[in-house]
């Protein structure tokens, strides 16, 4: 979802939105070495603003809503304005861009991304909502079913732009999980549904179990990523005008949660066991590493963080890459964050 902020009113700020750099690979921005701890479980190694307000082959590089590691080790970065970028995993320099569209050639509000084991791309749109399968060159190959209750009103009980934000395959690749950003009508505020699909014959995904996840007050879920042991990294995010962003990283475990797919309304029933979660870090507690913000923030490092990918692991530590969605707004920044996360 595009979290709106107040645009700067000066002519200089408006010019900054359109004075983008020339096309071509962007260098990696240097940040102070060494990083620092955000919490006992999370260390921020560095950040990069190298892609902020740049273009590549005539396409604005920003509005980033999802990240995934491609089969060749490169990064796939999804814009919510219907562009899918290939980035160098080390420098973040763009290498290619693919335009996406729906079945009628219209742009998508593309939010979630997963690279399937055959290299095809599974991409969510938060307006219908939908999950489409695309070829590497951007052709639609398939479309996954969506439960009626998760469709946007009046067909369902969801709100447009508050539906499928996160998307991740679970270990083994036979199950796909998508996270709703916000509660649907009839469920308690802050109770978000996570929907799964199971791979069947012919490789097609059919509807699977569904789970309840409870967010912190006033926050939504912009992204979710499966860890190698079947747990989930969950981003929770919010925005308060004049204060800035709240971004928290949780470790969640769906393995003992109640299947809520046949429960019409989630209102805190005692027999419904939601996904258990443990706070790993509030990113406002991270070291600034010299970062600056273009608008008020509790920590100048923060922005509208919306994308996340697990890029590797080493002795029980996950290497995690985050990215912010700048909404093509001069008061916001496209920023990448490299974290080390201990989940033991």
């Amino acid at each position: 979802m595009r979290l709106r902020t107040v645009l700067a009113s000066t002519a200089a700020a408006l010019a900054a939105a359109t004075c983008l750099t020339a096309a071509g690979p962007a260098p990696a921005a240097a940040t102070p070495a060494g990083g620092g701890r955000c919490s006992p479980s999370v260390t921020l190694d560095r950040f990069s603003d190298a892609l902020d307000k740049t273009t590549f082959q005539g396409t604005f590089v920003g509005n980033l809503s999802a990240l995934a590691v491609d089969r060749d080790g490169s990064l796939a970065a999804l814009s919510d304005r219907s562009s899918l970028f290939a980035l160098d995993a080390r420098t973040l320099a763009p290498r290619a861009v693919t335009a996406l569209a729906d079945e009628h050639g219209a742009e998508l509000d593309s939010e979630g991304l997963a690279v399937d084991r055959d290299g095809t791309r599974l991409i969510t749109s938060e307006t219908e909502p939908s999950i489409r399968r695309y070829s590497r060159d951007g052709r639609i190959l398939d479309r996954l079913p969506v439960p009626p209750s998760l469709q946007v009103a009046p067909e369902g009980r969801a709100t447009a732009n508050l539906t499928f934000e996160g998307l991740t395959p679970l270990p083994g690749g036979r199950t796909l999980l998508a996270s709703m950003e916000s509660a649907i009508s009839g469920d308690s505020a802050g109770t978000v549904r996570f929907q799964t699909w199971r791979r069947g014959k012919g490789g097609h995904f059919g509807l699977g179990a569904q789970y309840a996840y409870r967010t912190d007050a006033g926050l939504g879920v912009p992204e979710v990523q499966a860890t190698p042991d079947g747990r989930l990294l969950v981003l929770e995010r919010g925005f308060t005008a004049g204060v800035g962003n709240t971004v928290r990283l949780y470790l969640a475990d769906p393995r003992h949660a109640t299947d809520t797919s046949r429960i019409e309304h989630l209102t805190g029933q005692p027999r419904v066991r939601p996904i258990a979660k443990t706070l790993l870090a509030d990113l406002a507690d991270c070291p600034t590493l010299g970062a600056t913000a273009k608008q008020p923030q509790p920590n100048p490092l923060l922005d509208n963080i919306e994308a996340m990918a697990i890029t590797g692991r080493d002795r029980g530590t996950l290497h995690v890459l985050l990215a912010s969605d700048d909404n093509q707004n001069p008061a916001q920044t496209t920023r990448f964050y490299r974290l080390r996360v201990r989940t033991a």
Side-chain angles (χ1 to χ4, degrees):
M1 178 186 175
R2 300 165 190 158
L3 287 182
R4 301 298 182 187
T5 58
V6 178
L7 291 172
S9 59
T10 66
L14 292 173
T18 54
C19 293
L20 309 178
T21 63
T31 56
R37 285 194 171 189
C38 307
S39 72
S41 299
V42 177
T43 299
L44 172 66
D45 283 337
R46 57 193 183 277
F47 72 90
S48 173
D49 295 349
L51 298 186
D52 186 44
K53 306 303 182 285
T54 61
T55 62
F56 177 75
Q57 295 183 356
T59 301
F60 182 79
V61 182
N63 306 299
L64 299 181
S65 293
L67 297 168
V69 178
D70 210 342
R71 296 179 70 200
D72 62 1
S74 65
L75 290 169
L78 180 67
S79 161
D80 62 21
R81 312 293 174 89
S82 296
S83 296
L84 182 61
F85 296 92
L87 307 181
D88 183 281
R90 183 180 65 84
T91 68
L92 304 178
R95 300 302 187 199
V97 61
T98 302
L100 304 173
D102 67 12
E103 292 83 354
H104 306 290
E107 290 188 349
L108 306 169
D109 188 352
S110 40
E111 295 288 345
L113 168 67
V115 176
D116 206 359
R117 57 193 186 187
D118 61 358
T120 57
R121 284 81 163 93
L122 293 157
I123 293 175
T124 74
S125 171
E126 65 173 355
T127 50
E128 303 103 337
S130 64
I131 301 179
R132 296 177 176 87
R133 182 188 297 276
Y134 288 85
S135 65
R136 296 183 67 91
D137 61 1
R139 293 178 293 111
I140 297 176
L141 303 175
D142 193 10
R143 187 161 170 166
L144 276 60
V146 174
S149 63
L150 301 188
Q151 295 174 13
V152 170
E155 288 80 9
R157 294 161 45 208
T159 302
N161 299 323
L162 294 175
T163 64
F164 293 149
E165 280 268 342
L167 187 67
T168 184
L170 300 187
R174 295 193 59 83
T175 301
L176 186 70
L177 182 145
S179 56
M180 297 285 282
E181 182 178 14
S182 189
I184 62 175
S185 175
D187 288 354
S188 296
T191 300
V192 175
R193 299 202 185 216
F194 286 10
Q195 176 65 46
T196 69
W197 291 259
R198 291 283 295 171
R199 194 188 302 272
K201 294 181 179 179
H204 297 286
F205 283 104
L207 290 173
Q210 186 184 99
Y211 308 106
Y213 177 90
R214 292 176 182 162
T215 67
D216 293 353
L219 303 185
V221 178
E223 187 59 284
V224 60
Q225 287 288 294
T227 67
D229 64 3
R231 292 180 292 175
L232 302 170
L233 293 182
V234 181
L235 272 180
E236 295 190 24
R237 175 205 59 185
F239 178 78
T240 302
V243 176
N245 290 99
T246 299
V247 184
R248 295 173 185 152
L249 180 63
Y250 279 91
L251 180 65
D253 193 344
R255 293 173 296 186
H256 303 292
T258 302
D259 182 355
T260 60
S261 56
R262 296 186 179 182
I263 301 176
E264 183 176 5
H265 298 294
L266 297 175
T267 56
Q269 298 94 319
R271 294 186 180 181
V272 174
R273 187 164 46 201
I275 295 173
K277 69 176 190 178
T278 302
L279 179 66
L280 294 174
D282 186 324
L283 297 193
D285 297 331
C286 292
T288 66
L289 299 187
T292 59
K294 302 173 186 177
Q295 62 180 332
Q297 290 287 359
N299 179 333
L301 184 77
L302 292 177
D303 210 287
N304 179 33
I305 299 174
E306 190 162 317
M308 175 170 59
I310 297 172
T311 59
R313 57 176 169 163
D314 179 30
R315 297 180 181 178
T317 298
L318 301 177
H319 297 272
V320 176
L321 183 68
L322 306 178
S324 61
D325 176 357
D326 74 335
N327 292 313
Q328 211 159 335
N329 180 341
Q332 294 178 268
T333 302
T334 295
R335 177 170 289 166
F336 287 81
Y337 310 75
R338 293 191 185 272
L339 307 176
R340 283 176 286 132
V341 178
R342 289 195 305 107
T343 58

